[in-house]
C-alpha cells in the first residue's frame, strides 16, 4: 500500500573547487563535482534496484543550492541516467501484479539566483535541454521568466 509521503533525492550544486591550472593543462569544468554526482547516481540506482522500500518511496530527483557558477550540464548525465533507469523490481512487479512503480520525476532549480536576466534565461534553457526535462517535470522557481515582458 502506498504511503501518503515520498522522497525526492537532491544533488547539491556548488562552485568549481579546482585550482586554476596552467594554460597547458586541460580539464573539465566541475570535474570533481561531476565525479561525485556520477557516484551518487550509481548508488541511488543500486539502492532502488535492491531495496523495495526506497523503490516505492523515492519518486524524484532534484538539484538545489546556489546556481551561479554551477551550470545544469554538470548534472546532465546523472539526470538522464536516473530518468531512464528501470529497476529490476519494477519489471518483476509489473509482470506479476497490477502494482505500478513510478519512474523518477525531475526538478531543477534554475533562474532564481542569477547575475543578469540573460544568465537566468540561459540556465533555464540549459536545464530543459541538457537534463531532457519532460512534461510533468519542474523548473524550481524560474524567477528569471518573470522579468520577460
Amino acid at each position: 500500500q502506498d504511503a501518503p509521503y515520498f522522497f525526492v533525492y537532491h544533488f547539491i550544486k556548488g562552485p568549481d573547487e579546482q585550482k586554476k591550472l596552467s594554460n597547458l593543462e586541460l580539464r573539465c569544468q566541475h570535474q570533481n563535482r561531476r565525479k561525485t554526482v556520477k557516484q551518487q547516481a550509481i548508488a541511488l540506482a543500486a539502492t532502488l534496484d535492491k531495496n523495495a522500500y526506497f523503490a516505492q518511496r523515492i519518486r524524484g530527483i532534484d538539484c538545489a543550492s546556489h546556481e551561479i557558477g554551477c551550470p545544469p550540464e554538470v548534472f546532465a548525465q546523472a539526470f538522464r541516467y536516473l530518468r531512464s533507469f528501470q529497476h529490476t523490481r519494477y519489471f518483476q512487479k509489473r509482470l506479476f501484479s497490477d502494482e505500478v512503480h513510478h519512474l523518477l520525476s525531475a526538478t531543477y532549480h534554475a533562474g532564481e539566483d542569477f547575475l543578469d536576466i540573460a544568465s537566468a534565461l540561459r540556465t533555464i534553457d540549459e536545464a530543459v535541454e541538457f537534463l531532457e526535462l519532460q512534461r510533468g517535470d519542474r523548473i524550481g522557481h524560474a524567477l528569471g521568466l518573470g522579468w520577460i515582458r
Side-chain angles (χ1 to χ4, degrees):
Q1 175 176 336
D2 258 353
Y5 58 88
F6 60 90
F7 301 105
V8 175
Y9 184 88
H10 285 76
F11 294 100
I12 303 301
K13 302 175 200 168
D16 194 352
E17 298 169 349
Q18 295 175 3
K19 294 180 180 177
K20 180 116 172 127
L21 301 175
S22 73
N23 291 339
L24 298 176
E25 295 179 278
L26 295 175
R27 67 165 173 86
C28 184
Q29 181 186 28
H30 292 279
Q31 184 172 328
N32 293 338
R33 186 166 308 280
R34 289 172 196 259
K35 183 178 177 181
T36 300
V37 167
K38 178 181 177 181
Q39 292 169 342
Q40 291 170 340
I42 291 170
L44 178 58
T47 300
L48 292 172
D49 199 38
K50 294 177 181 157
N51 190 307
Y53 174 80
F54 285 115
Q56 292 174 353
R57 298 291 185 267
I58 296 177
R59 297 282 179 89
I61 51 177
D62 189 358
C63 200
S65 194
H66 304 288
E67 68 185 79
I68 294 175
C70 192
E73 70 183 61
V74 173
F75 305 94
Q77 285 185 314
F79 267 62
R80 292 192 312 255
Y81 170 68
L82 289 169
R83 293 294 303 276
S84 64
F85 181 76
Q86 295 182 343
H87 47 84
T88 307
R89 293 182 190 284
Y90 175 83
F91 289 113
Q92 290 172 348
K93 298 231 176 188
R94 292 281 294 158
L95 288 174
F96 301 112
S97 73
D98 293 332
E99 184 177 352
V100 175
H101 287 276
H102 303 278
L103 297 178
L104 296 174
S105 61
T107 299
Y108 189 88
H109 287 79
E112 61 179 302
D113 183 17
F114 51 89
L115 299 174
D116 56 51
I117 191 66
S119 65
L121 297 176
R122 181 177 53 248
T123 301
I124 293 167
D125 183 58
E126 288 177 355
V128 172
E129 184 70 26
F130 295 148
L131 306 177
E132 296 179 355
L133 298 183
Q134 303 164 9
R135 183 180 304 198
D137 292 335
R138 295 183 54 235
I139 296 287
H141 305 290
L143 297 175
L145 292 176
W147 290 90
I148 299 174
R149 294 182 201 200

